[in-house]
Amino acid sequence: MTAGAVGLSGVGRASALARGRTSAVPAGEAPSSVGRGLGLARHVRTDVLDVAYHDVGAADGVPVILLHGWPFSPAGSYAEVAPVLAARGFRCYIPYLRGHGETTFLRDDSPRSGQQAALGADVIAFMDALRIQRALYAGYDWGGRAANVAAALWPDRCAGLVSVNGYLIQNLALAQKPLAPSVESGYWYFFYFLTERGQKGLTRNREDLARVVWQRNSPEWQFTEAEFAQAAQLWNNTDYVDVVIHSYRHRLGAAPGAASYTDLERRLLDQPKIAAPTVTLDGKADGVTPWTDGSGYAPHYSGSWAHHVVPGAGHNLPQERPKAFISAVLEVHGMGRSVSS
């Protein structure tokens, strides 16, 4: 595969050496449930979470953390992406976000926060737990936001960034500023989750609600029932509803953040720039976030930056157009190597 040439509207650049795949379980980490195509999930503890994750690729491969969105599955989103990247010399780490799958809180009294600072801090804590000093980040939706936050606040830990829908750090100072009605209508569940009715709806109808989101946010994606059923297992997590509800209420200014993330959220109010090499992607068939030429993202990235529009891709871009996502990872890795050489 030529980096940047498959499924993108531009040409990228990257190269990597192929290495074999390993499946050894690090000391103290027990494998658990199976992720489709990614093998058994492992577990590692941070200061807040017991994080379930998959890893694919040689132990000495280039670390890349692949982050999933809501309400999607990391095993589904990266089932085709991770093996190809592993063959290209990467070590792929695919964690389950807080409140999803087997990722659980260690303490009953920990706030079930879904705010952006928490998601970003989780990426760094995950890296610390696995002794990963520096890595590429790649993600979409919640995972893309976590990647942007981690890259902005801990720049020395990020070797490069692939972000679907661009700069995803929420500007909470503008939480009450209305968007165009055509955009607001796609965010119907944001407002639904502000209500007690919406919280009950998510609790009782989490699969039906997710199906609506999948269909509307990715209208051209012909997902299978097996893919949906695999993802549905993640939503049985006991903290799922609390984390999801808090995430959407916090971003609209309707719920306070957890005290432990106050300083991080204050720094995010400044909309910090990201210095790491970055490739942003927009799906041309995204049903919730309209595609752009990327010009609105550009001011937020102070390093090397490229933008591509991916035809036929909706909101879950890595699962819908894995070749395009793979190409973006290869491209941003090449950009980083060019800077360092």
Side-chain angles (χ1 to χ4, degrees), residues 4 23 32 34 101 125 130 132 138 153 157 167 178 188 190 219 232 241 290 339-340:
S23 58
S32 56
V34 176
L130 292 178
I132 302 168
L153 298 185
R157 308 299 295 273
Y167 188 80
W188 63 272
F190 288 30
V241 171
V339 170
S340 61

Side-chain angles (χ1 to χ4, degrees), residues 116-203:
Q116 59 180 352
L119 299 178
D122 287 348
V123 174
I124 302 303
F126 176 69
M127 293 174 67
D128 288 344
L130 292 178
R131 298 181 176 86
I132 302 168
Q133 182 57 38
R134 204 158 180 261
L136 297 168
Y137 305 154
Y140 68 99
D141 194 74
W142 283 31
R145 180 162 297 108
N148 276 258
V149 169
L153 298 185
W154 293 272
D156 58 320
R157 308 299 295 273
C158 180
L161 171 67
V162 174
S163 181
V164 177
N165 299 129
Y167 188 80
L168 293 175
I169 295 176
Q170 297 153 352
N171 190 343
L172 298 183
L174 301 178
Q176 299 307 313
K177 182 179 179 180
L179 302 173
S182 60
V183 177
E184 297 274 37
S185 64
Y187 296 153
W188 63 272
Y189 47 92
F190 288 30
F191 309 109
Y192 183 51
F193 292 155
L194 290 179
T195 68
E196 185 66 21
R197 176 175 176 144
Q199 182 165 357
K200 290 179 180 178
L202 181 62
T203 302

Side-chain angles (χ1 to χ4, degrees), residues 160-341:
L161 171 67
V162 174
S163 181
V164 177
N165 299 129
Y167 188 80
L168 293 175
I169 295 176
Q170 297 153 352
N171 190 343
L172 298 183
L174 301 178
Q176 299 307 313
K177 182 179 179 180
L179 302 173
S182 60
V183 177
E184 297 274 37
S185 64
Y187 296 153
W188 63 272
Y189 47 92
F190 288 30
F191 309 109
Y192 183 51
F193 292 155
L194 290 179
T195 68
E196 185 66 21
R197 176 175 176 144
Q199 182 165 357
K200 290 179 180 178
L202 181 62
T203 302
R204 298 175 185 176
N205 306 310
R206 58 192 73 185
E207 289 190 25
D208 290 341
L209 193 151
R211 185 182 293 275
V212 172
V213 172
W214 280 35
Q215 292 170 337
R216 294 187 181 179
N217 290 15
S218 298
E220 295 185 16
W221 181 28
Q222 301 299 313
F223 60 86
T224 68
E225 286 304 310
E227 287 173 321
F228 185 81
Q230 188 275 334
Q233 298 175 37
L234 276 63
W235 312 324
N236 292 323
N237 186 303
T238 55
D239 298 312
Y240 174 76
V241 171
D242 288 342
V243 169
V244 171
I245 293 295
H246 183 263
S247 175
Y248 289 100
R249 291 183 178 179
H250 181 266
R251 71 180 65 186
L252 292 180
S260 54
Y261 303 113
T262 299
D263 289 342
L264 297 180
E265 289 290 355
R266 186 178 297 115
R267 292 170 61 190
L268 294 175
L269 285 173
D270 294 331
Q271 297 284 274
K273 291 187 177 183
I274 293 172
T278 299
V279 172
T280 55
L281 302 173
D282 281 342
K284 202 166 188 178
D286 193 317
V288 63
T289 305
W291 67 274
T292 74
D293 64 2
S295 58
Y297 311 145
H300 296 289
Y301 299 107
S302 60
S304 303
W305 168 78
H307 177 73
H308 304 292
V309 177
V310 183
H315 207 61
N316 182 5
L317 194 148
Q319 189 163 357
E320 297 173 56
R321 291 294 184 269
K323 291 181 180 179
F325 196 84
I326 291 163
S327 293
V329 174
L330 297 175
E331 180 179 6
V332 82
H333 178 53
M335 292 162 65
R337 293 177 66 179
S338 297
V339 170
S340 61
S341 62

